[in-house]
Amino acid sequence: MSIDGRTQILILGGGFGGLYAAMHLEKTLARDPNVEVTLINRDNFFLFTPMLHEVAASDLDLTHIVNPVHKLLRRVKFFAGDVEAIDLPGRRVVVSHGFDHHHHDLPYDHLVIALGSITNFFNLPGLQERALTMKSLGDAINLRNRLIALLEEADTECCANIREPLLTFVVAGGGFAGVETIAAVNDFVRDALKFYPNLHEHHLRMVLVHPGSVILPELGEKLGAYAQKKLAERKVDIRVNTRVTGISDRGVELSDGTLIAANTLVWTAGTSPNPLLETLPCTKERGRLLVNEYLEVLEWPGVWALGDCAVVPDRKTGKACPPTAQHALREGKVLAHNLAAAIQGGPKKPFVFDTIGQLAAIGRRTGVANIMGINFSGFLAWWLWRTIYLGKLPRFEKKLRVALDWTLDLLFSKDIVQFMTFRAPTISHAENDDRSPNQAHGRDVTAASR
Ligand SMILES: Cc1cc2nc3c(=O)[nH]c(=O)nc-3n(C[C@H](O)[C@H](O)[C@H](O)COP(=O)(O)OP(=O)(O)OC[C@H]3O[C@@H](n4cnc5c(N)ncnc54)[C@H](O)[C@@H]3O)c2cc1C
């Protein structure tokens, strides 16, 4: 309880689980003057991950798949910060924020843990330093910038002898994120070639490395095989039953002993629960918090968890629900209901949900989908992918912006402008004192910045 006597609810994490719980609490508990609901998230926006590869491949503008939390929530308070520590016995959370990373100590009566997962490189040599990931908006922007920078470098005459590693792109992991990433990267780079006079199709190499026997195992063998065939037709080299074992100056090493001369490795082949969970004295399964069917953390009254960081029991199968956005957002709704029931009284609801379908875009207006047990492939599946995800993207403004991007894509080629965030060249006082004003602001300024 806070000093003003209000019941405090803290939601940690503003992804699919946390944000949707907060959006449902907007309509219930957040209206209650005796309750204060606060959402804490590192970024001040909600990221719509299913469209992330479209940002990396320049199909969509950088900010069109994210929504500012302040535009999504009015009554629920928002705190942009990093959760540093969770003290369950003391019922407090430590959050840092601001440029100086100062700390706040926030008490709670109810805590909702929705911190998602992080990338795991499994300690493979070189990956921590060199591999790119596909988890955040920054990751997608970084990949897009890298692709463009490599095209620029490879196009210059001085790089004629090192074009192979510059223009070889390896993606590890044949799940949804990996397949959609390699497909999008393949389309983007091949489309961009026409602007680089010294580069040709034969310079490019795209490799997808997957440990299983068929990619997209969640969609079944038939659709996986279809996706493999389509990608192979578009010159993606698919290595099944193979793992990436490391990356070094020489290139990407595979489990079958192959060395691929490549500078770029995108790793989508492993995640782990958020490391903050390790510090919690709760029952866990493979690092994820065990919850009951009402999404309450076992043995800790007032603590709730959902999404990728929780093991949510599936009543029908007796197994855990899969870590997907469609589950997390529905768990958010049920959790908000149960939290309101716990505070205001009323029956709780168990979480029951059957996966409706799964879809993947595999490039060149082609997709694969399984919806309610029915398989779709080709243009129809791609159209379903776009229609369904456009419908799911929060807020009309962003839907319209994405729809416009897609429409303009029919008329214009993809943008190849790099997104730079570093400061423009400056000159230090010491250098300034030694020069005349003309020198200081002339071409020497650029030279000094190199
Ligand atoms: C590239 C990609 C594509 C995907 N495509 C699909 C798809 O097509 N369909 C589908 O169903 N699922 C998809 N998923 C999976 C889906 O995104 C996840 O299952 C879903 O996001 C899980 O929701 P969550 O709330 O548990 O975690 P997240 O959405 O990851 O949210 C966790 C939030 O917590 C924040 N956070 C973490 N640690 C801290 C901290 N210490 N302090 C403050 N904030 C913190 C993070 O910034 C994040 O906002 C995809 C995932 C990726 C990466």
Side-chain angles (χ1 to χ4, degrees):
M1 197 131 347
S2 65
I3 9 177
D4 62 8
R6 288 194 290 172
T7 301
Q8 291 295 323
I9 300 172
L10 294 186
I11 304 173
L12 311 184
F16 278 92
L19 182 91
Y20 277 80
M23 291 206 303
H24 288 286
L25 287 173
E26 275 273 300
K27 300 173 210 145
T28 57
L29 284 180
R31 289 173 182 267
D32 185 337
N34 299 315
V35 178
E36 185 170 72
V37 188
T38 308
L39 173 71
I40 302 165
N41 195 46
R42 187 173 286 141
D43 310 307
N44 84 332
F45 54 77
F46 164 71
L47 169 68
F48 193 71
T49 50
M51 290 181 181
L52 199 56
H53 63 273
E54 298 227 337
V55 172
S58 215
D59 290 313
L60 294 175
D61 187 89
L62 306 180
T63 61
H64 289 178
I65 64 161
V66 291
N67 268 291
V69 178
H70 289 290
K71 289 194 180 183
L72 291 161
L73 301 172
R74 295 292 153 113
R75 295 187 186 90
V76 171
K77 275 175 61 183
F78 177 63
F79 192 124
D82 255 296
V83 178
E84 302 276 355
I86 304 170
D87 172 8
L88 290 187
R91 292 186 162 250
R92 315 189 79 77
V93 170
V94 179
V95 183
S96 68
H97 81 147
F99 287 108
D100 61 350
H101 301 285
H102 63 272
H103 286 82
H104 288 251
D105 198 2
L106 306 176
Y108 66 79
D109 299 290
H110 286 267
L111 181 70
V112 178
I113 305 174
L115 291 167
S117 58
I118 62 159
T119 300
N120 188 344
F121 292 128
F122 302 109
N123 287 326
L124 292 172
L127 266 71
Q128 185 66 43
E129 304 80 44
R130 294 166 187 254
L132 302 184
T133 51
M134 267 298 268
K135 217 46 196 123
S136 65
L137 182 65
D139 288 342
I141 296 174
N142 200 12
L143 175 57
R144 180 183 179 280
N145 274 350
R146 168 82 77 101
L147 299 175
I148 300 167
L150 287 167
L151 286 167
E152 295 295 344
E153 189 177 349
D155 191 46
T156 53
E157 296 294 348
C158 61
C159 292
N161 295 331
I162 52 159
R163 277 193 186 126
E164 187 185 350
L166 293 178
L167 296 178
T168 301
F169 304 94
V170 181
V171 174
F176 285 96
V179 170
E180 291 188 323
T181 301
I182 192 86
V185 166
N186 191 41
D187 287 358
F188 173 62
V189 175
R190 286 186 199 280
D191 283 2
L193 278 187
K194 55 179 171 284
F195 302 107
Y196 296 91
N198 294 319
L199 303 184
H200 306 283
E201 282 266 334
H202 70 265
H203 289 127
L204 293 180
R205 190 172 172 206
M206 303 280 164
V207 187
L208 177 65
V209 183
H210 178 58
S213 57
V214 64
I215 62 171
L216 295 173
E218 300 90 340
L219 286 175
E221 216 163 285
K222 215 168 160 191
L223 288 180
Y226 173 87
Q228 251 166 250
K229 186 174 136 254
K230 283 287 161 197
L231 288 172
E233 279 170 17
R234 293 171 201 145
K235 304 195 179 75
V236 177
D237 175 3
I238 300 174
R239 305 291 182 100
V240 289
N241 297 316
T242 312
R243 290 169 192 275
V244 166
T245 53
I247 177 169
S248 65
D249 282 344
R250 299 184 315 131
V252 178
E253 292 143 32
L254 305 186
S255 54
D256 60 6
T258 312
L259 178 74
I260 301 175
N263 282 0
T264 307
L265 168 66
V266 185
W267 177 261
T268 67
T271 56
S272 277
N274 192 297
L276 268 173
L277 305 192
E278 282 171 25
T279 63
L280 302 183
C282 306
T283 317
K284 286 169 229 155
E285 197 178 288
R286 292 203 199 157
R288 291 157 74 202
L289 300 171
L290 275 183
V291 296
N292 63 17
E293 57 188 348
Y294 303 113
L295 304 159
E296 295 162 311
V297 174
L298 305 184
E299 297 142 26
W300 288 94
V303 182
W304 311 71
L306 74 166
D308 286 7
C309 72
V311 177
V312 180
D314 182 334
R315 267 189 168 190
K316 290 197 178 143
T317 61
K319 295 183 187 160
C321 293
T324 70
Q326 58 182 305
H327 282 82
L329 69 91
R330 284 171 180 89
E331 286 161 16
K333 184 176 180 184
V334 171
L335 192 148
H337 171 91
N338 291 342
L339 195 45
I343 292 172
Q344 296 176 327
K348 289 183 203 155
K349 271 201 279 191
F351 177 72
V352 187
F353 171 65
D354 281 336
T355 306
I356 301 170
Q358 290 183 299
L359 309 100
I362 57 169
R364 297 260 182 268
R365 305 206 165 94
T366 318
V368 279
N370 179 287
I371 297 169
M372 306 227 205
I374 302 169
N375 280 350
F376 298 88
S377 57
F379 179 79
L380 178 60
W382 171 83
W383 181 83
L384 284 170
W385 183 93
R386 282 208 158 174
T387 311
I388 290 172
Y389 282 122
L390 188 63
K392 294 272 170 212
L393 181 70
R395 296 186 58 246
F396 176 70
E397 177 204 333
K398 294 292 172 158
K399 287 189 212 296
L400 186 62
R401 288 184 189 278
V402 165
L404 283 174
D405 278 354
W406 284 343
T407 310
L408 293 173
D409 207 29
L410 299 170
L411 304 175
F412 305 109
S413 56
K414 296 176 194 212
D415 196 0
I416 49 168
V417 170
Q418 276 178 284
F419 184 71
M420 302 299 197
T421 54
F422 49 76
R423 197 165 70 169
T426 60
I427 193 159
S428 70
H429 285 305
E431 284 166 320
N432 229 349
D433 292 345
D434 295 344
R435 292 157 200 239
S436 68
N438 282 346
Q439 271 180 314
H441 295 102
R443 121 187 105 82
D444 280 351
V445 177
T446 329
S449 73
R450 279 199 186 125

